[in-house]
Amino acid sequence: MKTRILEILRQTKDWASGETLCREMGVSRTAVWKHIRTLREEGYHIEARSNLGYRLLQAPDIPLPGEIAAGLLTAVIGRQIEYLPELPSTNDTAQKLAREGCPEGTVVVTECQTGGKGRMGRPWFSPRGKGLWFTIVLRPPVNPAETPQVTMVAAVAVAEAVRAHTGVESGIKWPNDILVQERKLCGILVELNAEMDRVNFMVAGMGLNVNVPRSEFPPEIRDTATSLQAESGRHIPRVPLLRALLKSFEDWYRLWLDEGFAPILSRWRELCVTLDCPVTVHTIRESYTGHAINVDETGALLVKTEDGSIERLLAGEVTLRKR
Ligand code: BTN
């Protein structure tokens, strides 16, 4: 009912009379008024005049399903959206929905995560209303061995959408951190549910710092994290940005399914800031230093170590060393 009122207000662009709303919805004026009141509580600025009716002045910049859907240009990604004002982790909720059979492209989004998860078991800082914390459910018809490529699909999609939508130039640190001048703007956590030879589902979670002032990052990441607001000097509306991210993800994901990893890898290499750099590598087994020289056709990082041998890194953490 609320959604329909919003649709009418959006379509009318000007005043929609109380009578029109009552007729369209088949309810009383009191019922219409109650819905308008709820919408106002959700952050919609709706003007009411006794002789004219209602007019939508401003929608809230909150990733509510109706807001995201208005103007979303995707066919699959984000066609179903689950929004909650607060969640432990959008990745965990997405996994639960995926196990229950939700369709590919379902997006879980929240204003605030109380247990946001990063890579390597780290926490992910997800303050209320200041970022985009969301997860996409995927069911790619591929071999489980190919699934690490999805993290690179996501990294390219985020870097491209951020650049096109905000003008902020970001780069990718292997495998999928989005950086602006060595500070982390966005993290991506892809989790897999598979059997030996088939993927049941994957969830691709993205945490993008949008309007987090530098001073609000916790002290332990203040020197290494950044946000779009900190980089551009302006407040960035989140809903249009989320739409652009979903569209970019859909385009790059489609390209990967249709044409394979080569076009993704080629763009990923152009955006990568790790190649040709001195790096320190930390894996579960060991740590070593060397030079990142390339990424092979599977997405593994090739590091030339100090004794001249080439290490092929499939999983781990890379830090850039000063030259
Ligand atoms: C990283 O460590 O770089 C990955 C961070 C991923 C954070 C996002 S926020 C949305 C989604 N839900 C989570 O719990 N984590 C991911």
Side-chain angles (χ1 to χ4, degrees):
M1 185 83 73
K2 256 178 7 189
T3 320
R4 181 73 191 119
I5 294 188
L6 271 177
E7 245 172 50
I8 298 172
L9 291 178
R10 276 209 182 90
Q11 277 161 10
T12 319
K13 292 201 176 91
D14 199 6
W15 296 98
S17 72
E19 199 186 317
T20 309
L21 290 171
C22 293
R23 189 168 9 90
E24 288 274 337
M25 329 257 309
V27 294
S28 69
R29 275 176 183 264
T30 321
V32 167
W33 170 242
K34 277 193 185 144
H35 288 300
I36 297 279
R37 211 171 47 200
T38 316
L39 285 167
R40 281 178 169 171
E41 279 160 15
E42 285 175 7
Y44 288 89
H45 292 210
I46 299 171
E47 194 180 356
R49 292 255 189 94
S50 47
N51 49 343
L52 292 169
Y54 301 98
R55 178 163 72 153
L56 178 62
L57 296 177
Q58 204 189 329
D61 189 38
I62 298 173
L64 300 166
E67 287 311 302
I68 301 167
L72 182 66
L73 297 174
T74 58
V76 175
I77 307 293
R79 285 289 136 203
Q80 186 156 315
I81 297 169
E82 290 294 319
Y83 165 82
L84 277 158
E86 185 173 300
L87 277 176
S89 154
T90 55
N91 267 32
D92 290 351
T93 305
Q95 292 200 44
K96 178 175 168 287
L97 294 178
R99 272 192 294 271
E100 290 165 4
C102 75
E104 164 149 277
T106 299
V107 168
V108 179
V109 59
T110 189
E111 277 292 73
C112 163
Q113 294 186 118
T114 50
K117 303 187 296 185
R119 289 176 65 229
M120 320 279 241
R122 297 195 189 109
W124 183 259
F125 176 63
S126 325
R128 181 175 304 280
K130 306 239 163 125
L132 285 170
W133 329 121
F134 67 102
T135 302
I136 307 173
V137 175
L138 302 168
R139 300 184 184 277
V142 300
N143 192 290
E146 293 168 272
T147 55
Q149 298 170 8
V150 171
T151 61
M152 292 162 102
V153 170
V156 169
V158 171
E160 291 281 26
V162 162
R163 185 180 302 225
H165 192 82
T166 68
V168 172
E169 300 273 336
S170 58
I172 303 172
K173 179 167 82 86
W174 185 90
N176 56 4
D177 285 350
I178 309 295
L179 306 184
V180 181
Q181 282 164 13
E182 298 185 24
R183 288 171 181 261
K184 187 150 159 178
L185 177 72
C186 175
I188 298 168
L189 180 66
V190 177
E191 295 178 288
L192 171 68
N193 182 307
E195 283 149 45
M196 286 297 279
D197 54 355
R198 59 167 290 214
V199 173
N200 296 325
F201 62 82
M202 302 175 76
V203 298
M206 292 161 228
L208 175 61
N209 302 323
V210 184
N211 294 314
V212 189
R214 229 171 232 148
S215 59
E216 284 183 23
F217 282 110
E220 60 277 19
I221 58 169
R222 200 166 291 155
D223 292 338
T224 52
T226 192
S227 71
L228 287 173
Q229 187 187 57
E231 294 302 328
S232 66
R234 62 196 165 89
H235 178 93
I236 310 278
R238 291 174 303 150
V239 173
L241 174 61
L242 178 55
R243 278 191 221 114
L245 287 162
L246 298 180
K247 174 74 171 106
S248 176
F249 186 89
E250 178 162 293
D251 291 347
W252 287 98
Y253 180 66
R254 193 68 270 150
L255 185 66
W256 176 65
L257 291 177
D258 291 347
E259 293 180 25
F261 192 41
I264 312 300
L265 188 54
S266 147
R267 188 68 188 120
W268 188 94
R269 279 195 178 116
E270 288 165 3
L271 291 165
C272 181
V273 294
T274 323
L275 297 183
D276 299 327
C277 285
V279 290
T280 303
V281 174
H282 304 276
T283 70
I284 330 177
R285 282 181 296 114
E286 55 184 344
S287 295
Y288 55 89
T289 56
H291 252 79
I293 54 169
N294 207 348
V295 172
D296 72 13
E297 64 299 333
T298 65
L301 186 69
L302 304 180
V303 179
K304 189 170 186 182
T305 62
E306 261 132 42
D307 65 9
S309 61
I310 309 282
E311 292 284 334
R312 197 168 158 264
L313 189 64
L314 280 163
E317 184 78 355
V318 168
T319 48
L320 303 176
R321 284 186 294 130
K322 293 267 172 283
R323 282 169 203 267

